[in-house]
Amino acid sequence: MLFNSRHSYGSVARAFHWLSALAVIIVLSLAQIKDLFPKQSEARVELWLWHINFGIIIFLLVLPRIVWRLGNKLPAITPSPSALDTLLAHIIHWTLYALMVITPIFGLWSLQAGDATVHLFSLPLPQLFGVDDALSHDIKEIHETLGNVVLWLVLAHIAAALWHHYRIKDDTLSRMGGPQKPD
């Protein structure tokens, strides 16, 4: 089942969700793990390059994901959540989508403003931003702050899914991870 049904997400939405989740977990982990190594060490540079690659992958995944999301009706949650819960879920989801677009852009901007050539698995990306060392530092700070916001929203998203599954006992989590239910 490619498309969403009234009761569960389809294969494409699930693939976008879980691939994005994996890429976000990897990129956040790499950002933290690299700090365990000395600056300019081979291991730290390698981890940083993987962080950049996965950041670009997140950006490339989220654009078609948003298009797919807008073109497919969401499966209903049973029992129906309150209007406030629905509103909060939409705010968190759309904020995460926005952050998955702008955080990699700020990462690319900070690198290119610092005169770095950015590659996606050894394929050089076009220079989209001018060199400005002072701006590079400021943009990097924004990028890191956005990354921290992503981390907290991902944790809130996971906590909410588990809360719904174990405490509320609705089908919020099973719509994305359980067996697919046709209409």
Side-chain angles (χ1 to χ4, degrees):
M1 177 172 73
L2 289 178
F3 297 95
N4 301 344
S5 72
R6 285 181 292 163
H7 307 288
S8 64
Y9 287 96
S11 300
V12 174
R14 287 174 182 227
F16 277 135
H17 177 271
W18 293 111
L19 288 172
S20 298
L22 180 62
V24 167
I25 289 167
I26 290 170
V27 83
L28 291 171
S29 298
L30 289 169
Q32 299 305 311
I33 293 168
K34 76 167 178 55
D35 291 337
L36 299 174
F37 297 91
K39 290 186 184 225
Q40 306 305 322
S41 69
E42 187 176 325
R44 185 178 178 123
V45 170
E46 189 68 26
L47 291 168
W48 189 242
L49 292 174
W50 281 104
H51 172 84
I52 293 166
N53 283 311
F54 275 97
I56 296 167
I57 289 169
I58 290 168
F59 178 81
L60 295 174
L61 273 172
V62 75
L63 298 177
R65 181 178 180 182
I66 291 170
V67 170
W68 189 262
R69 163 71 172 76
L70 292 171
N72 285 272
K73 188 175 180 178
L74 293 179
I77 298 172
T78 306
S80 295
S82 71
L84 178 60
D85 284 348
T86 301
L87 176 64
L88 289 173
H90 286 298
I91 289 170
I92 288 177
H93 282 117
W94 285 105
T95 302
L96 278 168
Y97 291 147
L99 288 168
M100 286 189 288
V101 171
I102 65 172
T103 305
I105 290 172
F106 273 85
L108 178 66
W109 188 4
S110 74
L111 291 168
Q112 290 186 343
D115 203 21
T117 301
V118 180
H119 295 83
L120 175 60
F121 299 112
S122 74
L123 176 69
L125 299 181
Q127 185 75 23
L128 302 175
F129 303 100
V131 176
D132 183 335
D133 285 329
L135 182 63
S136 173
H137 175 74
D138 294 339
I139 298 301
K140 180 182 178 195
E141 293 294 323
I142 294 169
H143 171 73
E144 289 174 355
T145 300
L146 293 172
N148 288 329
V149 173
V150 169
L151 173 64
W152 286 107
L153 287 177
V154 165
L155 292 173
H157 179 69
I158 292 167
L162 294 172
W163 174 264
H164 276 270
H165 189 72
Y166 292 108
R167 185 76 172 143
I168 309 273
K169 299 193 185 304
D170 64 18
D171 64 352
T172 297
L173 186 59
S174 63
R175 293 176 317 144
M176 185 57 78
Q180 293 179 328
K181 301 173 191 170
D183 284 337

